[in-house]
Amino acid sequence: MLHDPFIEKTFNSLPVQVAVFDAAGCLLKVNRLWEATALFTNEFTPFKVGTSCLEHFRLKALEGNEYAARAYGGLSDLFAGRTEQFCLEYCVGDGSVTAWFLMEAAKLHEQGGGAVVTCTNISSQKRYELQVERAKQEALAARDELNEANIQTGIAIEIANELNATLHLENRNKNLILSTLPSVLIIVDHNLVVTEWTGGSEQVFGVPAAEAVGRKLTDVAITVSWAELANAVTRCIANAQTVRLDDCRFRRVNGTDGILGITCAPMPLASSDDVGALLVGADITQRRALEGQLAHSQKLEGIGQLAAGIAHEINTPSQYIGDNVRFVQQGLKSICDVISVIREFTDNHNSQQAQELLKERLYEAMRTADIDFLMEELPLAIDQTLDGIAHVNRIVRAMKDFSHPGSDHKVCSDLNRLLDSTITVTRNEWKYVADIETFFDPNLPDVPCFPGDMNQVFLNVIVNAAHAIADANKSRSREKGKITISTKQTDVSVLVTIQDTGTGIPPNARAHVFDPFFTTKEVGRGTGQGLSISHNIIKVRHGGKIWFETECGVGTTFIIELPLGDGHSEERK
Amino acid sequence: MRRILFVDDEPRVLQGLARTMRNLRDVWQMDYVDSGEKALALFDQSPYDAIVSDMRMPVMTGAELLRKVCDLYPQTLRVILSGQSDKQAILKSLECTHRYHAKPCDAESIVQVLNDAFETLFSGATILRAKLTGLRNLPYRMDTGTHIKNLCSTESPAPADLTKIVAQDVALSIRLLQLANSSFFGPPGTVADISSAVMLLGADGVSQVNEIVQQRQLEDGSCTPPTQDFAQNIGEHSYKVALAAARIARAENCSDASVGEAFTAGILHDAGRLALMACEPTSYEQMLIECKGTGWDIEQVERHLFGFDHGDAGRYLLSLLGISKSVVDAATFHHRPRELNASEFSAAAAVHVADSTLRGITNFIDCANDHSIDVDYLEHIGCADRLSLWQQKTIEELPV
């Protein structure tokens, strides 16, 4: 059956990883996706055709892997015919979260039995679950603080429950379903007059449908950044295209500022031939806050990893500053000894004989003091001390720049300086494996950005480059690699290029580079969040682009493009 | 004149050191190089008495350099001087390092470390130095290793429980004390007590050291049955001596610190036997078999065969690793306590009585009759009348 070309083709184009086993648990076949994603799959399920998966899991379970123990138990039952199905969520990566998979196994009744096992990467769901869990925790915490919040949380939970229930009932009254949706659902006609005000609109804005329907959208009694919203809706209707607003600020029912995420889709109107717009949106304030927290925690993690390196960077100059200053102290004492003899020599007008004696003593004092050595070395010792202090200052200043608390608004920043700080604080991560060469455009204009976020992106990319070079150095000669960082301006944007001479990204990992929790590094060297967060920072927070060019064995170049801004979307400080 | 080589990839560190060390130029001949390769080339011309190396360097790290030096020039004293604050990285050089020193530090403290270690290095007989300085590790009990691994994998293991298991393996206890007494974990040479060392390093520190020691043991193949049995025998006996010595010290109303010291000295008292076993596995094992039941003085046989006895070996090794002198003395004069010239009770007396008493009644490896208690010595320190109480303390709680 498996050799039928049609089945074969279908089998190979399935969007999930599939493996087929015979009745004894021996692997018959895996599909193409399974092979293509072997990078991850192999860690937990490195099946070989003809070998038993039960034996594999039994051995792995003996090593103490609890997922393997569960897989072994479940699959044994399945192959023994005690159960029909089995599923297991497991995590790949030793302890720390790297990637989550869902394994589903089902008994085959044809062809003498056997089983089909599929594996699905559920890392992003897991991440979402994590966020939801945190959101829930926050909601619970907020409940304790505010009574008002208490009511809101109650409502939210009710709506969510009701929605869940509703969705399971088919063909229920459409309006009922719409009214229970937590999302904002607004329909406006071509004159921006509201025709539908439903879903969560009442809850989110605190305005009942009766007071909104029939009015012009801009006249409804809500506080929202109208310019942006109206602009989006007008563009949507005029160009008949979907327009997305990610950062629409509005006043929430409780009076606090919130962020609304809205999609405007062109919508033919029932009443006329004109085209109106459907606005679907949600209060994403909480999500934004969570994203912010996630990014912040990744940043802290980055700083934590750097801390040991920075300590090392500071300890080294401290060592030679101390040594040099102590040397100056000793040297000064020796020089004073010489000077006291000179004083005697010049102050006293002694006999010729006494003068001769003093001269002898002077020579002796100079010899003891090692005066030639001191004259040569003291200035050097002072210079190097000052160098050392400058070095420590530079690190401290870069640290300060780097740990910039971040502002709510974009700030026009000098990317060259941000890069410089990041290079300084990460020095200990790369200096043993690579040299960094910079080609900064001296005339680079300031770019509106969140400097703290940009530092984080640069940190992630530079540390990745250093790791890739360290891996490459292992296999080739042990010479240092090179990281080349350049900045330049185009008509509308600024480009930052970070190029390394590392291993390059293997073809099967390229598509996943920006996926959350994706990592090819060993445990403890990264959580797989760095580039995913960087991607988010560049794309969502800055409306820019980040991409890479890579060749195995040659290296990888990351390119970051930030728009220069046209003067109205960012606030200058 | 002692010859010392300093290695650091930062030339300014070397120049700074050279300047402050210059006033010692009549005492020591010092050279400074900025890479491991250059260091080895200089060694090739003429080996040094001591090497002081940075840890993180490009191409060849300090750990790699010291490993090579240990293989090629085993008699050289090996010191790490590093600004590294990452525990993991420090532990990487564990097996080949005698002393650790943290940057930044002043020249005097480096001089002190070197002088201190030199005192040991050149005190012993040349033969002692040749054999023990290049020693990488002592026979270690794989069974305690597994215990520790299991305990550390539980959530927040109690330090007391951890100490209890650690104390049953001599090799591991020595490593922990060596690290705790290095300047990475506070003022050097101040941790005399194994339970403080465990506290200082923490469960993950202990677990990491344990893993490194275990790994090393697996690599060098010394986990063979005779060596394992020997390590186990010594470990069990030493732990009994440690408990007994602590009870004796407590009976003498000693402070907690002194009780801890007596306990620790008990653990370490036979470190020299392990060292001899590690240096000369075949002949030491042969010797033990041949001595059994003969009533010979084991220390005399050791001196005859190897040029030094296990007391000397233990003292040399422990001092070289920077373990505090009071513990080392109490631990390693256990056969000849009177050589300490003490005039009052000390941990040495407790270890002496506990060890002699236990060897008299238990089936310890050597059944030679060298377990006699030095009554004259006890009289000298004014404790002769305490002997029966101490012996009673020694055998109480003894598992049958």
Side-chain angles (χ1 to χ4, degrees):
Chain A
M1 175 190 79
L2 281 170
H3 302 293
D4 181 314
F6 174 71
I7 304 256
E8 176 91 20
K9 199 163 178 192
T10 315
F11 183 64
N12 276 329
S13 46
L14 286 174
V16 285
Q17 299 171 20
V18 188
V20 186
F21 294 90
D22 69 10
C26 286
L27 181 68
L28 292 175
K29 202 168 175 60
V30 293
N31 73 342
R32 192 164 293 151
L33 188 71
W34 189 294
E35 281 165 6
T37 46
L39 192 69
F40 261 158
T41 316
N42 263 350
E43 204 172 320
F44 187 65
T45 49
F47 300 143
K48 285 195 193 78
V49 170
T51 63
S52 162
C53 65
L54 289 177
E55 183 59 14
H56 162 72
F57 284 125
R58 193 181 68 82
L59 293 176
K60 220 170 158 71
L62 285 178
E63 286 167 18
N65 184 317
E66 56 158 326
Y67 297 117
R70 270 151 52 195
Y72 176 66
L75 291 173
S76 299
D77 285 347
L78 191 82
F79 285 114
R82 288 190 287 272
T83 50
E84 287 290 308
Q85 285 176 338
F86 164 66
C87 67
L88 168 71
E89 278 184 14
Y90 64 90
C91 154
V92 179
D94 205 3
S96 83
V97 182
T98 309
W100 280 91
F101 282 86
L102 172 67
M103 175 196 281
E104 289 171 292
K107 182 104 181 119
L108 277 177
H109 291 287
E110 299 78 19
Q111 311 255 327
V116 177
V117 173
T118 65
C119 287
T120 323
N121 190 330
I122 51 165
S123 303
S124 39
Q125 280 108 297
K126 274 283 167 189
R127 181 191 180 210
Y128 180 66
E129 275 175 37
L130 211 76
Q131 288 190 357
V132 170
E133 182 53 35
R134 277 168 64 170
K136 213 167 104 194
Q137 295 297 335
E138 293 223 338
L140 290 174
R143 189 181 62 181
D144 295 337
E145 283 172 25
L146 278 172
N147 217 6
E148 189 185 9
N150 184 4
I151 298 160
Q152 277 198 347
T153 316
I155 292 171
I157 289 169
E158 256 171 54
I159 292 173
N161 289 344
E162 204 168 320
L163 179 67
N164 270 337
T166 319
L167 286 178
H168 284 95
L169 299 173
E170 284 171 37
N171 292 328
R172 283 285 298 268
N173 185 318
K174 171 200 148 210
N175 284 332
L176 178 69
I177 297 177
L178 283 182
S179 68
T180 56
L181 276 177
S183 308
V184 169
L185 259 176
I186 301 169
I187 299 175
V188 295
D189 67 12
H190 56 291
N191 292 321
L192 300 190
V193 174
V194 176
T195 60
E196 289 267 9
W197 184 268
T198 178
S201 309
E202 294 190 353
Q203 276 83 23
V204 171
F205 296 115
V207 175
E211 283 177 32
V213 175
R215 280 176 195 244
K216 209 169 170 200
L217 185 60
T218 41
D219 293 338
V220 179
I222 54 174
T223 315
V224 66
S225 26
W226 287 117
E228 269 179 65
L229 187 58
N231 179 21
V233 177
T234 315
R235 261 195 300 151
C236 161
I237 295 173
N239 305 338
Q241 62 171 196
T242 306
V243 177
R244 204 177 147 67
L245 270 187
D246 271 319
D247 258 320
C248 185
R249 289 176 179 272
F250 79 113
R251 180 71 39 85
R252 300 168 88 185
V253 178
N254 63 7
T256 59
D257 284 330
I259 297 168
L260 210 56
I262 286 191
T263 308
C264 308
M267 172 134 176
L269 296 174
S271 49
S272 67
D273 290 342
D274 290 317
V275 174
L278 166 68
L279 279 65
V280 182
D283 180 351
I284 55 166
T285 319
Q286 186 92 340
R287 202 180 86 198
R288 267 296 140 76
L290 285 175
E291 278 171 6
Q293 278 178 17
L294 198 67
H296 187 65
S297 68
Q298 199 264 344
K299 182 176 175 184
L300 286 181
E301 185 190 283
I303 293 176
Q305 280 169 356
L306 289 181
I310 290 166
H312 187 238
E313 279 298 300
I314 292 180
N315 284 340
T316 304
S318 304
Q319 177 67 41
Y320 65 77
I321 291 171
D323 283 340
N324 281 320
V325 171
R326 270 183 289 271
F327 168 69
V328 171
Q329 189 185 32
Q330 291 167 9
L332 219 52
K333 203 170 149 282
S334 306
I335 289 176
C336 289
D337 290 345
V338 175
I339 288 176
S340 65
V341 180
I342 293 176
R343 240 195 212 137
E344 266 182 74
F345 200 47
T346 51
D347 286 357
N348 299 337
H349 303 283
N350 296 320
S351 64
Q352 185 80 21
Q353 200 183 3
Q355 288 279 22
E356 279 302 318
L357 221 69
L358 271 171
K359 212 168 167 181
E360 266 314 303
R361 270 181 58 202
L362 183 57
Y363 283 133
E364 179 55 32
M366 291 204 291
R367 232 186 339 269
T368 320
D370 204 359
I371 206 84
D372 290 339
F373 177 78
L374 287 180
M375 281 170 67
E376 198 175 314
E377 291 290 318
L378 278 173
L380 282 175
I382 300 273
D383 286 351
Q384 291 184 1
T385 304
L386 292 175
D387 280 356
I389 290 168
H391 185 69
V392 173
N393 282 346
R394 200 157 56 237
I395 297 168
V396 173
R397 199 177 332 109
M399 278 284 284
K400 215 171 94 193
D401 279 359
F402 188 83
S403 55
H404 193 278
S407 61
D408 287 347
H409 305 287
K410 287 183 189 166
V411 183
C412 280
S413 314
D414 177 0
L415 290 190
N416 291 345
R417 183 171 165 176
L418 295 185
L419 280 163
D420 231 10
S421 310
T422 311
I423 291 169
T424 306
V425 295
T426 53
R427 185 160 179 267
N428 204 57
E429 311 298 314
W430 51 260
K431 75 168 175 184
Y432 297 101
V433 295
D435 294 315
I436 286 191
E437 200 171 353
T438 56
F439 297 97
F440 291 163
D441 178 351
N443 302 317
L444 198 74
D446 285 357
V447 181
C449 66
F450 299 99
D453 286 358
M454 289 311 299
N455 278 332
Q456 192 178 356
V457 172
F458 296 149
L459 164 80
N460 287 331
V461 177
I462 291 173
V463 170
N464 277 348
H467 284 169
I469 290 173
D471 289 344
N473 287 357
K474 268 182 216 154
S475 53
R476 60 182 181 216
S477 74
R478 306 190 72 198
E479 273 165 36
K480 277 190 182 183
K482 186 176 234 174
I483 301 174
T484 313
I485 303 178
S486 55
T487 55
K488 71 172 183 213
Q489 183 187 358
T490 71
D491 288 345
V492 290
S493 62
V494 164
L495 287 177
V496 177
T497 315
I498 301 175
Q499 182 176 27
D500 68 57
T501 57
T503 48
I505 302 168
N508 58 355
R510 285 175 196 168
H512 305 288
V513 165
F514 296 114
D515 289 355
F517 298 117
F518 178 84
T519 180
T520 56
K521 296 178 187 172
E522 68 266 35
V523 173
R525 212 167 156 206
T527 57
Q529 293 189 73
L531 284 178
S532 138
I533 283 168
S534 302
H535 187 251
N536 190 51
I537 288 173
I538 298 295
K539 222 181 145 193
V540 180
R541 300 265 286 165
H542 292 91
K545 281 192 243 167
I546 174 168
W547 70 98
F548 60 89
E549 289 155 8
T550 186
E551 190 178 333
C552 287
V554 177
T556 304
T557 307
F558 271 88
I559 303 128
I560 296 162
E561 180 173 16
L562 286 189
L564 274 169
D566 44 18
H568 70 80
S569 60
E570 80 285 354
E571 293 160 46
R572 285 178 183 271
K573 263 200 170 173
Chain B
M1 202 190 275
R2 308 277 176 247
R3 299 181 70 241
I4 301 159
L5 181 62
F6 290 89
V7 192
D8 199 302
D9 65 319
E10 172 58 63
R12 276 176 287 201
V13 169
L14 292 178
Q15 289 173 26
L17 281 170
R19 287 183 191 119
T20 41
M21 296 297 227
R22 191 174 153 86
N23 54 6
L24 288 168
R25 64 188 183 279
D26 299 332
V27 195
W28 291 343
Q29 185 211 321
M30 293 164 285
D31 290 316
Y32 304 85
V33 282
D34 64 4
S35 78
E37 289 85 349
K38 289 183 194 163
L40 289 173
L42 283 182
F43 260 92
D44 193 35
Q45 289 168 20
S46 165
Y48 288 81
D49 296 312
I51 179 165
V52 180
S53 173
D54 185 23
M55 184 74 152
R56 271 200 89 166
M57 296 185 287
V59 189
M60 190 190 294
T61 67
E64 288 167 322
L65 172 61
L66 293 197
R67 197 165 303 136
K68 289 214 169 96
V69 169
C70 178
D71 286 342
L72 299 168
Y73 314 97
Q75 302 191 31
T76 300
L77 175 76
R78 302 177 296 272
V79 182
I80 286 271
L81 174 63
S82 168
Q84 192 83 261
S85 58
D86 179 7
K87 227 195 288 186
Q88 188 76 47
I90 296 163
L91 297 181
K92 271 192 189 150
S93 66
L94 191 67
E95 53 168 297
C96 290
T97 310
H98 293 125
R99 298 289 180 101
Y100 294 87
H101 217 68
K103 279 184 205 160
C105 67
D106 49 40
E108 287 105 84
S109 68
I110 302 177
V111 172
Q112 201 190 328
V113 164
L114 288 173
N115 269 332
D116 184 40
F118 278 149
E119 199 184 309
T120 312
L121 202 63
F122 297 103
S123 66
T126 326
I127 182 163
L128 193 74
R129 186 176 162 216
K131 288 192 170 145
L132 295 174
T133 315
L135 201 59
R136 283 187 180 193
N137 57 329
L138 297 178
Y140 149 92
R141 292 175 65 179
M142 300 300 274
D143 56 339
T144 37
T146 313
H147 273 152
I148 289 171
K149 213 170 176 177
N150 291 341
L151 188 65
C152 287
S153 65
T154 61
E155 214 156 296
S156 56
D161 295 341
L162 207 52
T163 306
K164 205 169 148 186
I165 303 177
V166 165
Q168 299 182 37
D169 183 70
V170 183
L172 184 61
S173 299
I174 292 174
R175 282 304 187 197
L176 295 177
L177 283 164
Q178 180 196 3
L179 276 173
N181 279 300
S182 74
S183 68
F184 280 107
F185 296 93
T190 51
V191 181
D193 166 19
I194 185 70
S195 66
S196 314
V198 169
M199 293 271 249
L200 201 60
L201 284 152
D204 52 317
V206 172
S207 151
Q208 280 165 12
V209 175
N210 180 48
E211 235 156 79
I212 289 168
V213 176
Q214 197 169 30
Q215 189 60 37
R216 184 64 211 155
Q217 180 100 340
L218 288 169
E219 276 166 19
D220 75 1
S222 61
C223 49
T224 52
T227 317
Q228 269 301 296
D229 287 351
F230 187 70
Q232 205 164 331
N233 272 327
I234 296 276
E236 281 164 8
H237 168 71
S238 301
Y239 186 55
K240 282 182 207 152
V241 171
L243 290 171
R247 283 198 295 271
I248 293 171
R250 190 155 281 131
E252 293 305 306
N253 291 322
C254 286
S255 65
D256 283 353
S258 307
V259 172
E261 213 174 289
F263 181 77
T264 309
I267 299 170
L268 303 184
H269 83 279
D270 268 345
R273 289 186 196 255
L274 290 170
L276 281 168
M277 187 61 147
C279 290
E280 304 283 350
T282 326
S283 39
Y284 199 68
E285 212 192 317
Q286 191 68 37
M287 181 206 83
L288 288 175
I289 296 168
E290 284 179 20
C291 283
K292 198 148 189 156
T294 57
W296 292 340
D297 178 342
I298 203 98
E299 292 203 296
Q300 240 166 38
V301 179
E302 284 168 347
R303 278 195 291 273
H304 172 72
L305 283 174
F306 307 107
F308 51 93
D309 61 40
H310 69 262
D312 298 331
R315 190 155 49 253
Y316 181 84
L317 191 69
L318 297 174
S319 311
L320 204 56
L321 300 179
I323 289 163
S324 68
K325 191 170 167 1
S326 57
V327 174
V328 174
D329 284 349
T332 54
F333 282 100
H334 63 280
H335 288 294
R336 293 169 289 162
R338 65 170 73 192
E339 287 178 21
L340 277 172
N341 290 327
S343 55
E344 55 184 359
F345 173 80
S346 70
V351 174
H352 171 62
V353 170
D355 175 52
S356 305
T357 309
L358 281 168
R359 276 190 295 120
I361 56 166
T362 57
N363 189 20
F364 190 54
I365 330 166
D366 55 77
C367 290
N369 60 357
D370 65 336
H371 46 74
S372 55
I373 289 167
D374 189 341
V375 185
D376 290 348
Y377 160 70
L378 291 182
E379 205 132 312
H380 183 68
I381 61 167
C383 294
D385 55 333
R386 311 287 289 164
L387 180 58
S388 59
L389 173 74
W390 290 0
Q391 287 188 313
Q392 198 189 322
K393 287 276 164 204
T394 302
I395 56 173
E396 76 182 24
E397 291 175 40
L398 202 64
V400 193

